[in-house]
Amino acid sequence: MSSLSGKTFSRRQLLFRSSKSQSAERAGMPNRLPWADGPGIENSCTGCGACVAACPENIIVLSENRKASVDFSKGECVFCEACAESCSEPVFINAALRAQRKPWIGSAFIDERCLSSRGITCQICKDQCPEAIISFPPVIGGAATPIVNAAGCTACGACLSPCPTEAIDIHWEIEHEDQQYHKEEEWVE
């Protein structure tokens, strides 16, 4: 048994970690969808579940308040726009603007719970990153520790779920409630 981040894991649990702990921690988090802001979700999402059914990655869930949200413990967002295309309410910005704007503004952040910071070789986050923005520069006499190129990060969440110590989180540059990056005329009609 190993104890990391204040939790005890068997070797098997480290390799095949359940996402139950992340899902439990997710309760109370703000609803977040690509190309949608907090007020758009809160005011327009009816909880019909069309986006949940449309998501090919199965990462969109309905929160306790029946609002759609991405749950990164289930996987990554591939920004396919299926959620936006399936929604009949003005939750998402229109297709023309989706082509021009980032889906959200944030980047991965790796904290001290990372195995590499404890001298244990692990690069699963780097292996999972589709944008290849996580690097492990060699260190003489020590273990390589991860560096995230925040400017290149899409905040897709690919690195979150596989991390055996839950050392990775998304740091949002704009608090979701304040992310009002589109105007009324840009809503999907």
Side-chain angles (χ1 to χ4, degrees):
M1 294 279 197
S2 297
S3 177
L4 299 169
S5 68
K7 299 175 184 173
T8 303
F9 299 99
S10 69
R11 281 186 248 173
R12 182 171 188 76
Q13 287 172 314
L14 279 173
L15 293 173
F16 303 104
R17 182 174 60 89
S18 166
S19 62
K20 288 180 184 174
S21 61
Q22 285 183 341
S23 294
E25 290 172 10
R26 176 133 187 31
M29 301 247 334
N31 298 319
R32 193 172 295 275
L33 293 168
W35 297 288
D37 60 19
I41 297 169
E42 291 304 313
N43 298 330
S44 301
C45 180
T46 62
C48 70
C51 59
V52 175
C55 180
E57 301 299 314
N58 297 314
I59 63 166
I60 299 180
V61 298
L62 292 179
S63 65
E64 290 177 4
N65 63 352
R66 302 278 307 156
K67 303 293 181 182
S69 187
V70 170
D71 182 350
F72 288 123
S73 71
K74 296 178 174 285
E76 69 182 285
C77 183
V78 295
F79 308 117
C80 66
E81 300 183 44
C83 54
E85 292 167 2
S86 71
C87 186
S88 61
E89 300 298 326
V91 174
F92 300 89
I93 59 174
N94 67 47
L97 288 170
R98 288 195 305 267
Q100 299 170 14
R101 302 216 178 143
K102 289 183 175 184
W104 42 43
I105 302 169
S107 64
F109 175 80
I110 304 173
D111 68 27
E112 70 281 349
R113 294 175 292 175
C114 176
L115 292 174
S116 295
S117 68
R118 298 170 183 252
I120 301 168
T121 301
C122 176
Q123 296 186 6
I124 195 165
C125 55
K126 175 185 172 187
D127 296 339
Q128 296 298 314
C129 180
E131 303 298 324
I133 57 93
I134 301 174
S135 62
F136 284 79
V139 176
I140 296 174
T145 55
I147 295 177
V148 176
N149 172 3
C153 184
T154 62
C156 70
C159 57
L160 271 70
S161 182
C163 179
T165 60
E166 299 178 359
I168 307 172
D169 197 6
I170 301 292
H171 280 196
W172 304 103
E173 290 182 30
I174 300 173
E175 289 301 318
H176 194 56
E177 297 76 31
D178 298 329
Q179 183 176 330
Q180 296 182 30
Y181 59 87
H182 58 279
K183 299 178 185 129
E184 191 66 34
E185 66 271 10
E186 297 170 348
W187 295 92
V188 176
E189 307 258 344

